[in-house]
């Protein structure tokens, strides 16, 4: 069955290193979301795309985070340089233009030491 | 068992009981309200949604109630099973297809 896939599933890195997370949305979905989950803040939106164009990235610290969709089958979230406060689980989700159901991937657990 | 109050971070019930998970939302203009279930180590999974012009919607073993007067949303799970153990999140969707605004989760523990 169709699923959102994310890589890597786990990432441990040191402060200052670059981190790239990848997401493959479900084929045919034209909206892709990046969320971050922490114990303190819960689930919060970082950015989302429609038809590969960024629609909202207001939740993302733009000095260090960047999100792109090089093509319809790949979304990337990059952090450079990473900081310990970036430690969280990062989820990618995809959905249809007028749909409420967002399909979440398994997440990337990021630990920045 | 039932939850009392607008939001409890944890709810413990016995297998076979009915569960009620509550949520308060903030944006009266949201078009949709949605419940998600998150099992340990997994991403959130859609359960059911309700449009703002409705006050009740039923699914398989689940019912969502919307009270716009007090900005309150609830999820009722009938005959709760151990497989229902998870964290449940309510979410607002200002407009279909846009980003979700998630509430605080409630951890449901079902004992057999």
């Amino acid at each position: 069955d169709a699923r959102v896939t994310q890589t890597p599933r786990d990432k441990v890195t040191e402060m200052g290193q670059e981190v790239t997370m990848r997401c493959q949305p479900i084929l045919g979905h034209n909206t892709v979301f990046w969320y971050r989950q922490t114990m303190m803040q819960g689930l919060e939106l970082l950015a989302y795309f429609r038809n590969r164009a960024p629609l909202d990235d207001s939740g993302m610290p733009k000095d260090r985070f960047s999100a792109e969709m090089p093509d319809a089958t790949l979304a990337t979230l990059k952090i450079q340089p990473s900081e310990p406060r970036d430690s969280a689980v990062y989820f990618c989700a995809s959905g249809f233009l007028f749909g409420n159901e967002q399909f979440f991937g398994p997440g990337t657990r990021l630990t920045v030491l | 068992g039932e939850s009392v109050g607008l939001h409890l971070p944890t709810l413990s019930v016995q297998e076979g009981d009915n569960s009620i998970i509550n949520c308060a939302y903030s944006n009266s203009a949201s078009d949709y309200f949605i419940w998600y279930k998150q099992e340990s180590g997994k991403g959130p999974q859609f359960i059911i949604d309700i449009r703002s012009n409705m006050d009740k919607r039923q699914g398989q073993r689940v019912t969502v109630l919307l009270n716009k007067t007090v900005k309150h949303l609830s999820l009722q799970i009938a005959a709760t099973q151990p497989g229902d153990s998870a964290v449940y999140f309510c979410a607002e969707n200002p407009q279909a297809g846009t980003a979700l605004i998630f509430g605080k989760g409630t951890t449901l523990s079902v004992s057999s």
Side-chain angles (χ1 to χ4, degrees):
Chain A
D1 60 329
R3 297 185 183 188
V4 175
T5 59
Q6 290 186 247
T7 56
R9 291 295 311 275
D10 280 281
K11 176 73 175 179
V12 180
T13 191
E14 292 187 345
M15 182 173 61
Q17 295 298 304
E18 177 178 301
V19 175
T20 299
M21 291 169 268
R22 293 177 174 81
C23 166
Q24 182 172 13
I26 293 174
L27 189 64
H29 285 183
N30 62 354
T31 310
V32 177
F33 305 85
W34 282 104
Y35 292 93
R36 175 170 62 183
Q37 186 174 36
T38 62
M39 289 296 292
M40 293 299 294
Q41 300 298 325
L43 273 160
E44 50 184 357
L45 175 77
L46 293 174
Y48 80 100
F49 295 78
R50 179 155 300 142
N51 297 322
R52 296 175 54 203
L55 278 195
D56 184 354
D57 61 1
S58 58
M60 207 164 66
K62 297 191 186 51
D63 57 337
R64 298 183 300 108
F65 285 58
S66 62
E68 295 179 345
M69 281 201 72
D71 60 61
T73 65
L74 177 65
T76 62
L77 179 66
K78 188 177 296 186
I79 307 174
Q80 168 62 22
S82 58
E83 298 180 1
R85 60 180 167 153
D86 300 329
S87 298
V89 181
Y90 291 80
F91 288 104
C92 174
S94 69
F96 290 110
L97 177 60
F98 295 112
N100 277 319
E101 185 170 359
Q102 295 180 14
F103 295 79
F104 282 74
T108 293
R109 180 176 296 277
L110 174 65
T111 304
V112 184
L113 303 174
Chain B
E2 296 185 4
S3 63
V4 177
L6 284 179
H7 172 252
L8 288 177
T10 61
L11 175 64
S12 297
V13 301
Q14 291 285 321
E15 181 178 2
D17 285 353
N18 295 330
S19 303
I20 299 177
I21 302 171
N22 294 304
C23 176
Y25 64 89
S26 55
N27 186 358
S28 299
S30 288
D31 205 16
Y32 288 90
F33 301 89
I34 307 129
W35 283 98
Y36 276 80
K37 171 186 180 183
Q38 186 176 23
E39 296 175 282
S40 180
K42 297 184 178 180
Q45 181 182 14
F46 175 93
I47 302 173
I48 191 169
D49 64 357
I50 187 168
R51 194 162 188 181
S52 58
N53 61 356
M54 301 170 65
D55 52 23
K56 180 178 180 179
R57 189 173 185 207
Q58 288 185 292
Q60 188 176 13
R61 280 202 306 119
V62 295
T63 301
V64 56
L65 299 177
L66 176 63
N67 185 330
K68 293 180 285 293
T69 303
V70 294
K71 298 184 182 179
H72 183 256
L73 187 70
S74 69
L75 177 70
Q76 300 178 0
I77 305 173
T80 314
Q81 302 168 1
D84 295 326
S85 295
V87 179
Y88 289 80
F89 293 94
C90 63
E92 302 174 48
N93 197 341
Q95 187 178 352
T98 61
L100 300 173
I101 303 168
F102 284 91
K104 303 291 184 186
T106 294
T107 300
L108 175 66
S109 298
V110 183
S111 52
S112 49

